[in-house]
Amino acid sequence: MTRLLALGITLLVLVTSTWGQRVGVVLSGGGAVGLTHIGVLQALEENGVPVDYIAGSSMGALVGAMYAAGISPWEMEALFASELYTIMAEGGVERQFQYYFKQDAPDASLINLRFGLDTTISTSLPTNLRSPVLLDFEQMRGFSPAAALAGYDMDSLFVPYRCVASDITNQRAVVFSKGDLAQAVRASMSYPFYFKPIRVDGNLMMDGGLYNNFPSDVMYGDFMPDFIIGSNVANNAPPPSEDDLLSQLRAMMQGRTDYSVICEEGVIIEPVTATSLFDFGSSGTTIADGYRAAMDRMPEILAHVQRRVPATQVAAQRKAFRAQQPPLVFGDVRIQGLNKARTRFVRQSLLPREGDLTLEALKPAYFRLYADKNIALLYPKATYVPERGNYDLDLLVKPEKDLEVRFGGIFSSRPINTGMVGLRYNLFGRSSTALEAMSYFGKFYASGQLKARVHLSTALPIYLEPAFTLNRWDHFRSFTTFFDEVKPSFVVIRETWAGVNAGLGLGNKGLLRLDVKGVETKDKYYQSDVFSSVDTADVTMFRFLTSGLMLERNSLNRKQHPNTGERLFAELRYVSGNEFTDPGSTQTGTADFEQAHQWFQAKVSLDKYFLPKGVFRFGMFAEGLASSMTRFQNYTASVIRAPAFHPTPESATWFIEEFRAPNYLSAGLRTIMAVARNRFDLRVEAYVFQPYEPFVRGESDGTETAASFTQRYFIGSGSLIFQSPVGPVWFNLSYFDGLADPWVVSLNFGYILFNQKAQQ
């Protein structure tokens, strides 16, 4: 009887220890290398190993939170392989939510610096390389329903969860066990200088890996599991070197972490992968490396963990947990961080209508607000209100610094080198206003522009933009390199205009713009390419009024050399003014000339790219222009004023008579090979230009029109382009009909872009 009782007690202990066995999983930080944790979780679920508790730091905090919120490892793998995740990692915004209406007019800027007028330079320097705006929104969307269902108690999530952040205000590690799940994860993964840190309860939080990169002590102290499985891809940095500044900074900021499982029973999986810290583009390979490492240790894990939970059971429990999560619908929106006038602008921009706000309605309005140049930061926090059955949205808004300075230009092996400096002063109140001054300086192109853009706080998105602009293009007679001596310029085009642009936003990608301008142009030119320094140039002045109505839809991904998206442009313009021509020594006639001109012109163009995600991409370009433009006093004056066809950046730097006409059709094809995560483009382009009754030189340099469709011209271009973090570097070989030497080679860095022209 005693033996039977002892045997029963032994069996009871064995059964209890087996079926009551609890397993905790600890995930280290490690940037993109931490994606191996997903493969580890896949292997555990496939083999029926239970995950009763989960804790993590930095990237481990993100993966652990997703698991605790009821997202399966295979769903994680799909997310991290998606375009959405790539955009988040790069600090961008999804293309469909980029708000073209509030984008700046394209300029040649390469470096942008922002300063607060009431702060020192040190407090105005940027603290992050990537914008977290999309990440913050998606974490709110993904984690808020799970946190609401758990009552903001992390023990009540699908799997009880802990994460660690670094409180750099008090220089200590902070463990999150309650509160907003999205905020806790964001605090834990705010890697220094990559994503901007956030404040929690008044303290500034950064990456959890600074003070505890492998929180097995937190796992053991909070949950006391019977067995801990660790997934670790991090280690303590080597001692600092006297010649290595980064190692010294790392030693000052980062504490040492104990990479052990703390408790008596445990296994640490250490995946090996070729992925680097910020290599977020190789998620599939990285996850597979984690899976492989976990499977290598699986016999040992299964030997220690006798309890099994079938994958089908976990999937059913996960489905039931997610089905109970309250959907994200917002009943109240509270704006924080702004004064009364600014709050009113933000509220009217974000909430055009009364009533509950769905996530689908919030997202486009949210990113339209973020596109405003007076908004530096948005951080959303959703809090569930059970009595109402919906959420409060607390939106922290940080205004942009007062002053922005931009530097840029084009630096080329051809003598078109141009520098650019721009200043913007932000005024933010009931409207969003910016005062801008832009200057280009170089022999080929020089310009100065002053303008103010006022975004009104109206139900319809409207801006008003008064502007004053001076432009000058100096087309040399001949040149090969920047250092060649050249003869006097043979065409110098100057224009001065003042006017107003008024814009109306049409959806996320559309713009309707009306402009009215008063313009004076002064063109100096020679009638022959054979002239000397003692010859005097012809001078034609044209004083006119112009007004245009422009409709544009633009989703191109770059301001120069795009390879995805499209731009549809349509414009109707009226021009009326008087020409005054003073002949020079190279023109046969000598009498001054005065004549009135007026005409209408209509222009339509389509720039479209296909296969946006592949290595090979194709594009097409088509443009047509029709006008009733009348001839000027002489051939050259007529050609200068005629609309020009410039399908490539290089073509905009040449004055080629053959590609100027009052009426024309044009078309082109582009083939692009995009490699190295879209950083390198091999681009081949070909265009045909078909003028209709173009201006041709008549007797005594007069203007005549050629017969219809008797002339046709071609442009070819091949470029190897590297999209550097600052701007594009490209080698180009172009062919232009109309040049004495049609083949042109150049090496360039920067952007060939100009201030707004009078007839634009």
Side-chain angles (χ1 to χ4, degrees):
M1 188 67 181
T2 303
R3 290 181 179 179
L4 288 175
L5 182 60
L7 180 60
I9 293 173
T10 301
L11 290 174
L12 180 62
V13 169
L14 288 173
V15 170
T16 302
S17 63
T18 299
W19 295 105
Q21 193 178 34
R22 293 292 172 179
V23 178
V25 174
V26 180
L27 309 176
S28 75
V33 186
L35 297 178
T36 54
H37 301 325
I38 299 172
V40 170
L41 292 172
Q42 288 177 345
L44 295 178
E45 278 206 17
E46 280 185 3
N47 287 272
V49 178
V51 179
D52 299 301
Y53 315 104
I54 196 162
S57 184
S58 193
M59 180 57 79
L62 174 61
V63 174
M66 295 174 75
Y67 195 86
I71 300 173
S72 76
W74 294 271
E75 290 173 311
M76 295 183 210
E77 182 175 19
L79 170 63
F80 286 105
S82 69
E83 184 181 14
L84 173 64
Y85 171 71
T86 301
I87 296 170
M88 281 192 290
E90 294 179 349
V93 174
E94 294 166 277
R95 188 176 298 112
Q96 65 269 34
F97 295 111
Q98 293 171 356
Y99 195 28
Y100 178 68
F101 174 70
K102 288 194 175 179
Q103 289 182 14
D104 286 331
D107 60 41
S109 59
L110 297 165
I111 299 173
N112 293 13
L113 300 175
R114 296 179 175 88
F115 302 92
L117 295 184
D118 58 347
T119 61
T120 63
I121 291 179
S122 62
T123 59
S124 295
L125 295 176
T127 58
N128 58 296
L129 296 174
R130 295 288 186 265
S131 167
V133 61
L134 180 58
L135 173 73
D136 292 339
F137 187 91
E138 288 300 315
Q139 286 193 345
M140 177 197 71
R141 181 192 63 80
F143 291 139
S144 294
L149 179 60
Y152 300 97
D153 181 355
M154 295 181 189
D155 286 345
S156 300
L157 292 167
F158 176 67
V159 173
Y161 169 76
R162 295 290 185 272
C163 77
V164 177
S166 298
D167 178 354
I168 60 174
T169 303
N170 298 301
Q171 298 183 339
R172 62 187 180 90
V174 174
V175 178
F176 289 96
S177 61
K178 296 185 182 298
D180 185 72
L181 181 61
Q183 187 180 61
V185 174
R186 175 67 167 79
S188 182
M189 60 178 295
S190 297
Y191 193 86
F193 309 117
Y194 195 83
F195 285 133
K196 189 179 288 290
I198 66 170
R199 289 193 180 275
V200 179
D201 298 330
N203 296 324
L204 199 61
M205 300 288 172
M206 291 187 75
D207 192 279
L210 293 179
Y211 298 146
N212 189 348
N213 208 23
F214 187 70
S216 63
D217 57 336
V218 175
M219 169 64 70
Y220 193 69
D222 282 23
F223 298 122
M224 293 289 292
D226 301 295
F227 192 83
I228 291 179
I229 300 172
S231 179
N232 177 40
V233 291
N235 52 59
N236 289 309
S241 166
E242 64 273 14
D243 298 321
D244 187 345
L245 177 61
L246 290 179
S247 70
Q248 296 169 23
L249 292 174
R250 190 184 301 114
M252 287 187 289
M253 294 177 61
Q254 191 170 4
R256 296 187 66 81
T257 295
D258 182 0
Y259 292 99
S260 64
V261 295
I262 303 298
C263 69
E264 295 181 2
E265 298 288 334
V267 168
I268 296 182
I269 302 165
E270 296 183 307
V272 177
T273 180
T275 302
S276 61
L277 185 66
F278 297 116
D279 182 13
F280 293 102
S282 306
S283 61
T285 301
T286 312
I287 293 169
D289 290 337
Y291 178 86
R292 189 179 306 110
M295 292 303 293
D296 289 344
R297 301 296 300 273
M298 194 56 64
E300 182 181 355
I301 294 172
L302 295 177
H304 285 86
V305 180
Q306 288 79 35
R307 178 169 152 249
R308 300 287 179 269
V309 180
T312 53
Q313 179 181 332
V314 175
Q317 293 171 344
R318 183 178 286 125
K319 182 178 180 180
F321 178 81
R322 289 167 61 169
Q324 299 176 64
Q325 297 177 8
L328 268 177
V329 177
F330 302 98
D332 189 19
V333 178
R334 299 188 290 252
I335 311 299
Q336 301 175 2
L338 300 176
N339 61 30
K340 186 176 181 180
R342 293 174 174 181
T343 298
R344 178 181 175 184
F345 176 84
V346 169
R347 184 171 291 277
Q348 289 181 339
S349 301
L350 199 64
L351 303 169
R353 289 178 290 273
E354 297 294 332
D356 288 352
L357 183 64
T358 65
L359 188 71
E360 292 72 22
L362 172 66
K363 190 168 184 178
Y366 184 91
F367 288 105
R368 287 182 183 182
L369 176 62
Y370 177 70
D372 192 283
K373 299 305 178 181
N374 274 305
I375 301 297
L377 174 71
L378 297 177
Y379 184 79
K381 181 180 177 182
T383 305
Y384 187 63
V385 183
E387 297 78 13
R388 295 201 317 257
N390 57 24
Y391 295 77
D392 284 341
L393 175 63
D394 289 294
L395 185 62
L396 175 64
V397 184
K398 184 176 181 180
E400 189 53 88
K401 293 182 173 66
D402 303 314
L403 183 66
E404 179 183 5
V405 184
R406 286 175 277 179
F407 303 95
I410 176 67
F411 307 93
S412 175
S413 60
R414 292 178 53 226
I416 58 171
N417 295 274
T418 305
M420 189 220 84
V421 176
L423 297 174
R424 183 211 303 271
Y425 181 68
N426 293 317
L427 296 169
F428 188 18
R430 287 194 170 188
S431 63
S432 177
T433 303
L435 306 178
E436 293 192 52
M438 187 80 68
S439 174
Y440 289 81
F441 44 92
K443 178 167 177 54
F444 162 64
Y445 176 63
S447 178
Q449 184 179 73
L450 297 173
K451 66 180 181 180
R453 178 175 285 201
V454 182
H455 286 275
L456 304 178
S457 58
T458 53
L460 293 175
I462 296 173
Y463 74 73
L464 298 176
E465 185 181 64
F468 174 79
T469 304
L470 301 169
N471 284 320
R472 188 219 70 203
W473 291 267
D474 191 340
H475 295 276
F476 311 145
R477 180 176 185 273
S478 63
F479 50 81
T480 306
T481 70
F482 184 78
F483 301 102
D484 282 352
E485 293 185 3
V486 299
K487 293 184 178 181
S489 307
F490 78 98
V491 174
V492 178
I493 302 171
R494 289 183 171 91
E495 65 176 30
T496 303
W497 65 265
V500 177
N501 299 308
L504 171 66
L506 303 175
N508 268 19
K509 300 301 179 185
L511 171 65
L512 180 67
R513 193 195 73 196
L514 173 68
D515 68 78
V516 179
K517 303 186 184 84
V519 188
E520 179 183 273
T521 65
K522 184 177 182 180
D523 305 326
K524 297 178 67 175
Y525 51 90
Y526 295 93
Q527 292 294 338
S528 169
D529 59 1
V530 179
F531 59 89
S532 68
S533 58
V534 298
D535 283 320
T536 59
D538 296 1
V539 178
T540 296
M541 296 184 67
F542 184 39
R543 297 188 179 102
F544 63 96
L545 295 174
T546 181
S547 182
L549 184 65
M550 183 270 289
L551 178 65
E552 183 177 17
R553 177 177 173 80
N554 194 327
S555 61
L556 297 177
N557 65 327
R558 297 174 186 149
K559 58 185 177 182
Q560 185 175 286
H561 302 125
N563 60 16
T564 61
E566 68 176 21
R567 178 179 184 260
L568 175 64
F569 176 90
E571 181 189 52
L572 181 65
R573 180 166 296 279
Y574 174 71
V575 178
S576 177
N578 293 295
E579 169 200 355
F580 306 89
T581 296
D582 180 12
S585 62
T586 61
Q587 185 175 168
T588 304
T590 58
D592 291 349
F593 181 83
E594 181 177 343
Q595 182 177 347
H597 297 272
Q598 60 180 7
W599 69 85
F600 285 95
Q601 71 181 42
K603 181 179 180 181
V604 178
S605 66
L606 175 63
D607 188 356
K608 185 175 179 61
Y609 294 86
F610 305 93
L611 306 178
K613 297 182 182 179
V615 172
F616 289 96
R617 308 181 186 192
F618 302 94
M620 61 156 290
F621 180 84
E623 184 172 276
L625 185 141
S627 77
S628 57
M629 179 183 174
T630 52
R631 308 172 189 175
F632 279 57
Q633 187 266 349
N634 60 71
Y635 166 73
T636 307
S638 300
V639 170
I640 290 174
R641 289 295 106 210
F645 176 60
H646 293 149
T648 66
E650 294 79 15
S651 64
T653 66
W654 292 91
F655 182 85
I656 306 177
E657 300 167 6
E658 286 76 5
F659 293 98
R660 291 173 173 263
N663 299 277
Y664 65 81
L665 294 172
S666 62
L669 294 175
R670 297 158 172 163
T671 300
I672 303 165
M673 185 170 69
V675 296
R677 297 180 63 189
N678 212 22
R679 290 295 186 187
F680 282 93
D681 282 1
L682 179 60
R683 187 181 184 98
V684 179
E685 308 169 67
Y687 304 90
V688 58
F689 178 75
Q690 176 62 72
Y692 175 76
E693 297 184 348
F695 296 136
V696 295
R697 191 183 299 273
E699 294 183 1
S700 301
D701 299 317
T703 309
E704 297 181 359
T705 55
S708 305
F709 302 114
T710 56
Q711 300 175 353
R712 188 174 299 113
Y713 305 100
F714 299 91
I715 293 176
S717 175
S719 301
L720 178 61
I721 307 163
F722 169 58
Q723 298 291 341
S724 78
V726 179
V729 180
W730 81 98
F731 173 81
N732 176 261
L733 173 65
S734 291
Y735 173 88
F736 297 106
D737 269 347
L739 292 181
D741 184 359
W743 294 99
V744 181
V745 177
S746 65
L747 178 63
N748 312 279
F749 167 59
Y751 295 99
I752 300 175
L753 293 167
F754 311 125
N755 277 330
Q756 185 182 2
K757 300 177 183 179
Q759 291 177 239
Q760 187 182 66

